[in-house]
Amino acid sequence: MPAGRRGPAAQSARRPPPLLPLLLLCVLGAPRAGSGAHTAVISPQDPTLLIGSSLQATCSVHGDPPGATAEGLYWTLNGRRLPPELSRVLNTSTLALALANLNGSRQQSGDNLVCHARDGSILAGSCLYVGRVTNHAGISQHGAETVLSALLPLQVPPEKPFNISCWSKNMKDLTCRWTPGAHGETFLHTNYSLKYKLRWYGQDNTCEEYHTVGPHSCHIPKDLALFTPYEIWVEATNRLGSARSDVLTLDILDVVTTDPPPDVHVSRVGGLEDQLSVRWVSPPALKDFLFQAKYQIRYRVEDSVDWKVVDDVSNQTSCRLAGLKPGTVYFVQVRCNPFGIYGSKKAGIWSEWSHPTAASTPRSAPCSVCLSLRLILPVLASLLPSPHSTRTWLRPQESGSWRRCGGGAPSFPRPPHLPRGAAGPGAQLGCCSGPQGGPGP
Amino acid sequence: MSRREGSLEAPQADSSVSLLPHLEAKIRQTHSLAHLLTKYAEQLLQEYVQLQGDPFGLPGFSPPRLPVAGLSAPAPSHAGLPVHERLRLDAAALAALPPLLDAVRRRQAELNPRAPRLLRRLEDAARQARALGAAVEALLAALGAANRGPRAEPPAAAAAATSASAASGVFPAKVLGLRVCGLYREWLSRTEGDLGQLLPGGPA
């Protein structure tokens, strides 16, 4: 009896008919007492099968009054009535079905196998998933492979996830991401679960915060141990099966990253047209642990997309860029690698780049001497022997002679027009080179 | 104030005249919204049956129209109720629909993961039902006919729908989804009709 069938007086209440139990599913799978109607149960429910295989199914009728009969019941598959010769009455309340040489399923949500009463009403339903075994290339084959795949269209159990990578921000947490296996992810809803445990002891734990840095990622916010390895893996599950990735073993200290250096300042170096000074602060979160930080600087001309990278800026918080174009705006960024934190033998993971900071090199009046120097100095530099042939930028010293970064002879007379201490008062001169391959842009 | 016949009604008439155009505009707007959403509900239903496979899309397909937790179809006697009462029932049904539509969407995400349009339509339908229900309630409040009694309990309906949907077999889940989409269309159509009766020129 449909709900809500009441007289106008009862329906004058200011709400719809009261909540009813969720009877829909019960009716399709169990009897309703006192109703005089029948329902049924199909077995198996929602099976997964190979193309070409057979299916034995039953429809068992329940009802009130008891003793509901299987006589008159019939089957349809995707709306088509199945021939009676495929069915047989097992007992008074059960009709059996035998299907052979199954074709692949017609739709992704499964073929609809339905048990009907004599009058055509639906008593029960079950959805069949019929596909074929494939190898990774998608080529059909029959054999003893244990992985059942319903290729229908292209539904398969998940392939194992791979390429797990993890990092810890300031040793406080752990974020991991992975690449899903090809087939199962694409064509069936697949659940992923990141698991982790201490290698030598401890129970399996499951990550709970998913999709933090993309669809296949998870974040473990706390309760992580240092100085002891973790084992980490990903389990993928869909309705056709599951797969487990290879286990990644790591120590949190080996995968530490940090925040970008704050307070990056870029300023002119007095009147020097081809140089800029970059200064920054060590990331505060690791300031008590960062004994051997490495930094990288990159810079580009304002209207260019090509970054020049200055590598191996070790354990210092200032640097001078040289070989720049006069009268040009440059954008500069810095990032940090917490190398060797707490004695780790591995390089850490580079932080994000700091926000771009801009500054412009000065442009002075044309100077024939300057022009000459610009032509001569690179030539002189290229003639000097150096273990790192690209690192030949010079800096002035108080003695008035030019020396190569990092010390060593020979020296050259300081060009007369350049004042002593040309770096400017109070500046910390970091030894910093132009990019590999020669002068900057 | 002069004591002419009917003069005591003059102040109220003045204020109601000033309110009527605004209220009428709101009724028209809500009626238009209901009309639009009814069209969307038709499209949702068509897409849903297509993706479940036959017999869901076949003309003769007639699964049992059985109760869904927390919501029933409009009763045959609905049309005989006063319009304010009908609109209250409409608003209550529209409030009960979103968690049911959400439950259907979650299940369809497993059954038809490669059907983003269906999933989007189901998600939109939940939002649209909520919006139209709120608009109808606002109208009722403006008409002085807002519901002051206890309401139906959408959270309980949602919990029942969610747990049952997750536990059921695939075929019953398909049928349940069809039922919910059908109820959605029915209640939208009913709401459109009931709002139409509030429009000028319609029967009181």
Side-chain angles (χ1 to χ4, degrees):
Chain A
M1 176 186 296
R5 193 169 277 180
R6 300 180 178 178
Q11 284 187 322
S12 64
R14 295 173 180 173
R15 55 182 167 181
L19 284 179
L20 296 168
L22 191 62
L23 297 178
L24 174 66
L25 308 175
C26 296
V27 171
L28 288 178
R32 283 183 299 174
S35 65
H38 301 297
T39 60
V41 173
I42 291 179
S43 178
Q45 271 288 303
D46 310 328
T48 303
L49 306 152
L50 284 169
I51 289 179
S53 65
S54 301
L55 170 70
Q56 310 282 334
T58 57
C59 177
S60 300
V61 186
H62 310 278
D64 182 19
T69 177
E71 189 179 343
L73 300 185
Y74 66 93
W75 297 92
T76 61
L77 181 63
N78 291 327
R80 283 189 171 179
R81 187 163 180 163
L82 294 174
E85 55 268 25
L86 298 179
S87 306
R88 64 189 176 95
V89 176
L90 276 187
N91 54 50
T92 54
S93 62
T94 303
L95 180 71
L97 173 70
L99 294 175
N101 197 23
L102 290 166
N103 292 323
S105 291
R106 280 170 49 179
Q107 54 263 346
Q108 193 177 53
S109 56
D111 293 324
N112 299 307
L113 179 67
V114 179
C115 179
H116 297 260
R118 181 194 296 271
D119 62 359
S121 59
I122 292 174
L123 298 178
S126 175
C127 288
L128 315 182
Y129 294 83
V130 186
R132 62 179 180 268
V133 173
T134 63
N135 60 18
H136 287 296
I139 299 171
S140 169
Q141 62 188 39
H142 299 284
E145 280 82 356
T146 56
V147 173
L148 172 68
S149 66
L151 189 68
L152 143 77
L154 304 178
Q155 289 187 357
V156 296
E159 292 189 1
K160 75 177 189 181
F162 62 101
N163 198 22
I164 303 175
S165 64
C166 302
W167 61 93
S168 172
K169 189 80 173 289
N170 300 323
M171 300 184 293
K172 285 185 169 25
D173 60 9
L174 189 69
T175 302
C176 296
R177 61 179 164 208
W178 60 91
T179 304
H183 297 301
E185 165 62 21
T186 309
F187 303 110
L188 276 181
H189 176 72
T190 303
N191 279 325
Y192 292 92
S193 181
L194 182 86
K195 301 285 187 77
Y196 60 101
K197 67 180 286 287
L198 287 165
R199 185 177 194 179
W200 309 122
Y201 54 93
Q203 60 188 12
D204 291 1
N205 300 290
T206 303
C207 181
E208 295 180 357
E209 295 179 16
Y210 288 87
H211 318 305
T212 49
V213 286
H216 305 296
S217 63
C218 198
H219 176 240
I220 305 166
K222 58 182 180 178
D223 298 333
L224 292 166
L226 304 178
F227 306 106
T228 182
Y230 275 92
E231 292 184 338
I232 299 169
W233 68 98
V234 177
E235 294 177 359
T237 307
N238 69 15
R239 72 180 321 278
L240 294 176
S242 62
R244 180 172 139 149
S245 71
D246 293 334
V247 174
L248 172 68
T249 303
L250 59 80
D251 190 318
I252 300 292
L253 290 179
D254 291 337
V255 292
V256 177
T257 186
T258 187
D259 307 294
D263 299 331
V264 176
H265 291 284
V266 183
S267 56
R268 293 178 174 180
V269 183
L272 296 179
E273 297 179 341
D274 64 340
Q275 297 185 21
L276 288 172
S277 170
V278 185
R279 269 173 270 166
W280 59 90
V281 175
S282 178
L286 292 181
K287 63 179 173 54
D288 294 331
F289 317 111
L290 214 54
F291 303 118
Q292 260 186 292
K294 288 195 300 187
Y295 296 93
Q296 257 183 3
I297 300 172
R298 69 177 187 179
Y299 61 95
R300 64 174 174 84
V301 175
E302 181 182 18
D303 54 359
S304 169
V305 296
D306 298 323
W307 293 95
K308 302 288 182 183
V309 178
V310 181
D311 218 339
D312 286 339
V313 183
S314 295
N315 220 19
Q316 60 198 46
T317 54
S318 64
C319 177
R320 189 190 297 181
L321 305 177
L324 308 179
K325 284 182 186 172
T328 304
V329 174
Y330 285 87
F331 287 102
V332 180
Q333 292 177 293
V334 185
R335 65 178 181 175
C336 175
N337 185 320
F339 175 76
I341 193 163
Y342 269 150
S344 166
K345 302 240 180 332
K346 296 185 180 178
I349 297 175
W350 287 103
S351 71
E352 297 292 323
W353 290 102
S354 62
H355 292 305
T357 303
S360 63
T361 48
R363 181 191 295 279
S364 62
C367 161
S368 60
V369 174
C370 302
L371 185 59
S372 303
L373 278 174
R374 285 204 192 96
L375 293 173
I376 293 170
L377 281 175
V379 175
L380 288 176
S382 68
L383 295 176
L384 294 173
S386 166
H388 305 286
S389 59
T390 60
R391 295 165 172 259
T392 54
W393 299 104
L394 307 176
R395 78 176 194 184
Q397 290 206 344
E398 290 187 1
S399 65
S401 56
W402 289 81
R403 299 182 69 81
R404 189 185 313 153
C405 284
S411 61
F412 294 87
R414 177 165 55 87
H417 78 287
L418 289 177
R420 186 168 303 175
Q428 239 185 339
L429 287 182
C431 183
C432 194
S433 65
Q436 293 184 2
Chain B
M1 180 165 61
S2 60
R3 286 184 173 266
R4 292 177 297 162
E5 186 175 352
S7 63
L8 284 174
E9 294 175 357
Q12 289 95 334
D14 286 340
S15 61
S16 63
V17 165
S18 65
L19 284 174
L20 270 176
H22 174 73
L23 189 55
E24 183 181 322
K26 277 306 202 188
I27 294 172
R28 285 193 188 282
Q29 191 180 51
T30 309
H31 177 260
S32 296
L33 177 61
H35 179 71
L36 177 65
L37 296 186
T38 303
K39 299 285 180 233
Y40 289 165
E42 289 282 352
Q43 292 169 2
L44 167 61
L45 196 54
Q46 284 173 18
E47 183 136 15
Y48 183 89
V49 298
Q50 185 184 359
L51 284 165
Q52 309 316 305
D54 292 336
F56 283 84
L58 295 180
F61 181 61
S62 178
R65 284 172 64 89
L66 297 167
V68 171
L71 184 67
S72 54
S77 56
H78 182 100
L81 296 172
V83 66
H84 293 174
E85 199 56 46
R86 281 182 265 150
L87 285 173
R88 273 196 280 272
L89 292 173
D90 295 338
L94 291 168
L97 273 163
L100 296 168
L101 289 163
D102 283 338
V104 173
R105 179 184 55 78
R106 280 193 293 274
R107 195 59 200 261
Q108 286 297 309
E110 296 172 4
L111 299 179
N112 286 295
R114 300 273 287 171
R117 193 168 60 187
L118 172 66
L119 302 178
R120 199 166 50 246
R121 283 191 197 275
L122 285 164
E123 188 175 350
D124 289 347
R127 267 203 303 272
Q128 289 157 4
R130 213 172 273 125
L132 183 60
V136 171
E137 288 186 6
L139 270 181
L140 287 169
L143 291 168
N147 187 357
R148 295 185 184 84
R151 293 197 162 276
E153 299 169 356
T162 303
S163 61
S165 178
S168 70
V170 173
F171 187 81
K174 290 183 177 183
V175 174
L176 179 63
L178 176 67
R179 183 80 177 113
V180 170
C181 291
L183 283 170
Y184 176 57
R185 184 189 59 176
E186 282 186 69
W187 279 105
L188 280 180
S189 177
R190 182 68 52 161
T191 303
E192 180 191 353
D194 295 339
L195 287 168
Q197 305 227 325
L198 286 181
L199 291 171

Short mmCIF file of all heavy atoms in Angstrom, two decimals, chain B residues 82-105:
data_model
loop_
_atom_site.label_atom_id
_atom_site.label_comp_id
_atom_site.label_asym_id
_atom_site.label_seq_id
_atom_site.Cartn_x
_atom_site.Cartn_y
_atom_site.Cartn_z
N PRO B 82 -5.81 22.94 0.74
CA PRO B 82 -5.58 24.37 0.51
C PRO B 82 -4.17 24.60 -0.01
O PRO B 82 -3.23 23.85 0.32
CB PRO B 82 -5.76 24.99 1.91
CG PRO B 82 -6.53 23.98 2.70
CD PRO B 82 -6.19 22.65 2.13
N VAL B 83 -4.00 25.64 -0.80
CA VAL B 83 -2.72 25.82 -1.49
C VAL B 83 -1.57 25.99 -0.50
O VAL B 83 -0.46 25.51 -0.73
CB VAL B 83 -2.81 27.02 -2.47
CG1 VAL B 83 -2.99 28.33 -1.74
CG2 VAL B 83 -1.60 27.06 -3.37
N HIS B 84 -1.83 26.68 0.62
CA HIS B 84 -0.75 26.84 1.59
C HIS B 84 -0.31 25.50 2.16
O HIS B 84 0.88 25.26 2.40
CB HIS B 84 -1.17 27.78 2.73
CG HIS B 84 -1.38 29.18 2.26
ND1 HIS B 84 -1.88 30.17 3.07
CD2 HIS B 84 -1.16 29.76 1.07
CE1 HIS B 84 -1.96 31.30 2.39
NE2 HIS B 84 -1.53 31.08 1.18
N GLU B 85 -1.27 24.64 2.39
CA GLU B 85 -0.96 23.32 2.93
C GLU B 85 -0.17 22.50 1.91
O GLU B 85 0.79 21.81 2.25
CB GLU B 85 -2.27 22.61 3.27
CG GLU B 85 -2.13 21.46 4.22
CD GLU B 85 -1.48 21.85 5.52
OE1 GLU B 85 -1.84 22.89 6.11
OE2 GLU B 85 -0.55 21.14 5.93
N ARG B 86 -0.57 22.62 0.66
CA ARG B 86 0.17 21.91 -0.39
C ARG B 86 1.61 22.39 -0.46
O ARG B 86 2.54 21.60 -0.59
CB ARG B 86 -0.51 22.13 -1.74
CG ARG B 86 -1.73 21.26 -1.97
CD ARG B 86 -2.31 21.51 -3.34
NE ARG B 86 -3.37 22.50 -3.29
CZ ARG B 86 -3.69 23.33 -4.28
NH1 ARG B 86 -3.01 23.32 -5.40
NH2 ARG B 86 -4.68 24.18 -4.15
N LEU B 87 1.78 23.70 -0.38
CA LEU B 87 3.13 24.24 -0.46
C LEU B 87 3.97 23.82 0.74
O LEU B 87 5.18 23.60 0.61
CB LEU B 87 3.09 25.76 -0.58
CG LEU B 87 2.66 26.30 -1.94
CD1 LEU B 87 2.47 27.80 -1.90
CD2 LEU B 87 3.67 25.93 -3.02
N ARG B 88 3.35 23.68 1.88
CA ARG B 88 4.11 23.20 3.04
C ARG B 88 4.59 21.77 2.81
O ARG B 88 5.72 21.42 3.13
CB ARG B 88 3.25 23.27 4.31
CG ARG B 88 3.31 24.61 5.02
CD ARG B 88 2.77 24.49 6.43
NE ARG B 88 1.32 24.52 6.43
CZ ARG B 88 0.61 25.63 6.49
NH1 ARG B 88 1.19 26.80 6.56
NH2 ARG B 88 -0.71 25.58 6.49
N LEU B 89 3.73 20.95 2.25
CA LEU B 89 4.14 19.58 1.94
C LEU B 89 5.21 19.57 0.85
O LEU B 89 6.16 18.77 0.91
CB LEU B 89 2.93 18.76 1.47
CG LEU B 89 1.87 18.48 2.54
CD1 LEU B 89 0.65 17.80 1.92
CD2 LEU B 89 2.43 17.59 3.64
N ASP B 90 5.07 20.46 -0.11
CA ASP B 90 6.10 20.56 -1.15
C ASP B 90 7.45 20.91 -0.53
O ASP B 90 8.48 20.30 -0.84
CB ASP B 90 5.73 21.65 -2.17
CG ASP B 90 4.48 21.32 -2.97
OD1 ASP B 90 4.14 20.12 -3.06
OD2 ASP B 90 3.85 22.25 -3.51
N ALA B 91 7.45 21.91 0.33
CA ALA B 91 8.71 22.35 0.96
C ALA B 91 9.32 21.23 1.79
O ALA B 91 10.54 21.02 1.77
CB ALA B 91 8.46 23.59 1.81
N ALA B 92 8.48 20.51 2.50
CA ALA B 92 9.00 19.42 3.34
C ALA B 92 9.61 18.32 2.46
O ALA B 92 10.66 17.75 2.78
CB ALA B 92 7.89 18.86 4.21
N ALA B 93 8.95 18.01 1.36
CA ALA B 93 9.49 16.97 0.46
C ALA B 93 10.80 17.43 -0.15
O ALA B 93 11.76 16.66 -0.25
CB ALA B 93 8.47 16.66 -0.63
N LEU B 94 10.86 18.69 -0.55
CA LEU B 94 12.09 19.21 -1.15
C LEU B 94 13.24 19.21 -0.14
O LEU B 94 14.40 19.07 -0.51
CB LEU B 94 11.86 20.62 -1.69
CG LEU B 94 10.94 20.70 -2.92
CD1 LEU B 94 10.53 22.14 -3.21
CD2 LEU B 94 11.62 20.09 -4.14
N ALA B 95 12.91 19.36 1.12
CA ALA B 95 13.95 19.29 2.16
C ALA B 95 14.42 17.86 2.39
O ALA B 95 15.56 17.63 2.77
CB ALA B 95 13.43 19.89 3.46
N ALA B 96 13.54 16.90 2.18
CA ALA B 96 13.91 15.49 2.40
C ALA B 96 14.68 14.90 1.23
O ALA B 96 15.36 13.88 1.38
CB ALA B 96 12.65 14.67 2.65
N LEU B 97 14.60 15.52 0.06
CA LEU B 97 15.20 14.92 -1.14
C LEU B 97 16.73 14.98 -1.19
O LEU B 97 17.36 14.02 -1.65
CB LEU B 97 14.62 15.59 -2.39
CG LEU B 97 13.32 14.96 -2.89
CD1 LEU B 97 12.59 15.90 -3.83
CD2 LEU B 97 13.59 13.63 -3.57
N PRO B 98 17.37 16.07 -0.78
CA PRO B 98 18.83 16.14 -0.98
C PRO B 98 19.63 14.97 -0.40
O PRO B 98 20.48 14.42 -1.11
CB PRO B 98 19.20 17.47 -0.33
CG PRO B 98 17.99 18.32 -0.52
CD PRO B 98 16.83 17.37 -0.35
N PRO B 99 19.41 14.54 0.85
CA PRO B 99 20.21 13.40 1.31
C PRO B 99 19.93 12.12 0.53
O PRO B 99 20.84 11.29 0.34
CB PRO B 99 19.81 13.25 2.78
CG PRO B 99 18.55 14.02 2.95
CD PRO B 99 18.53 15.06 1.91
N LEU B 100 18.72 11.96 0.05
CA LEU B 100 18.41 10.77 -0.76
C LEU B 100 19.15 10.84 -2.09
O LEU B 100 19.70 9.84 -2.56
CB LEU B 100 16.90 10.67 -0.97
CG LEU B 100 16.09 10.45 0.30
CD1 LEU B 100 14.60 10.67 0.03
CD2 LEU B 100 16.32 9.06 0.86
N LEU B 101 19.15 12.01 -2.71
CA LEU B 101 19.87 12.17 -3.98
C LEU B 101 21.37 11.98 -3.78
O LEU B 101 22.06 11.41 -4.63
CB LEU B 101 19.57 13.55 -4.57
CG LEU B 101 18.15 13.73 -5.11
CD1 LEU B 101 17.81 15.19 -5.30
CD2 LEU B 101 17.97 12.98 -6.44
N ASP B 102 21.88 12.45 -2.66
CA ASP B 102 23.30 12.25 -2.36
C ASP B 102 23.61 10.76 -2.22
O ASP B 102 24.66 10.29 -2.68
CB ASP B 102 23.68 12.98 -1.06
CG ASP B 102 23.84 14.48 -1.27
OD1 ASP B 102 24.05 14.89 -2.43
OD2 ASP B 102 23.73 15.23 -0.28
N ALA B 103 22.74 10.02 -1.57
CA ALA B 103 22.97 8.58 -1.41
C ALA B 103 22.96 7.89 -2.78
O ALA B 103 23.80 7.01 -3.04
CB ALA B 103 21.90 7.98 -0.50
N VAL B 104 22.06 8.31 -3.64
CA VAL B 104 22.02 7.72 -4.98
C VAL B 104 23.31 8.06 -5.73
O VAL B 104 23.89 7.21 -6.42
CB VAL B 104 20.79 8.23 -5.75
CG1 VAL B 104 20.81 7.76 -7.20
CG2 VAL B 104 19.51 7.74 -5.07
N ARG B 105 23.76 9.29 -5.59
CA ARG B 105 24.98 9.69 -6.30
C ARG B 105 26.17 8.87 -5.83
O ARG B 105 27.00 8.41 -6.63
CB ARG B 105 25.26 11.17 -6.10
CG ARG B 105 26.54 11.67 -6.77
CD ARG B 105 26.82 13.13 -6.45
NE ARG B 105 26.88 13.38 -5.04
CZ ARG B 105 27.90 13.11 -4.26
NH1 ARG B 105 28.97 12.55 -4.77
NH2 ARG B 105 27.87 13.38 -2.98
#
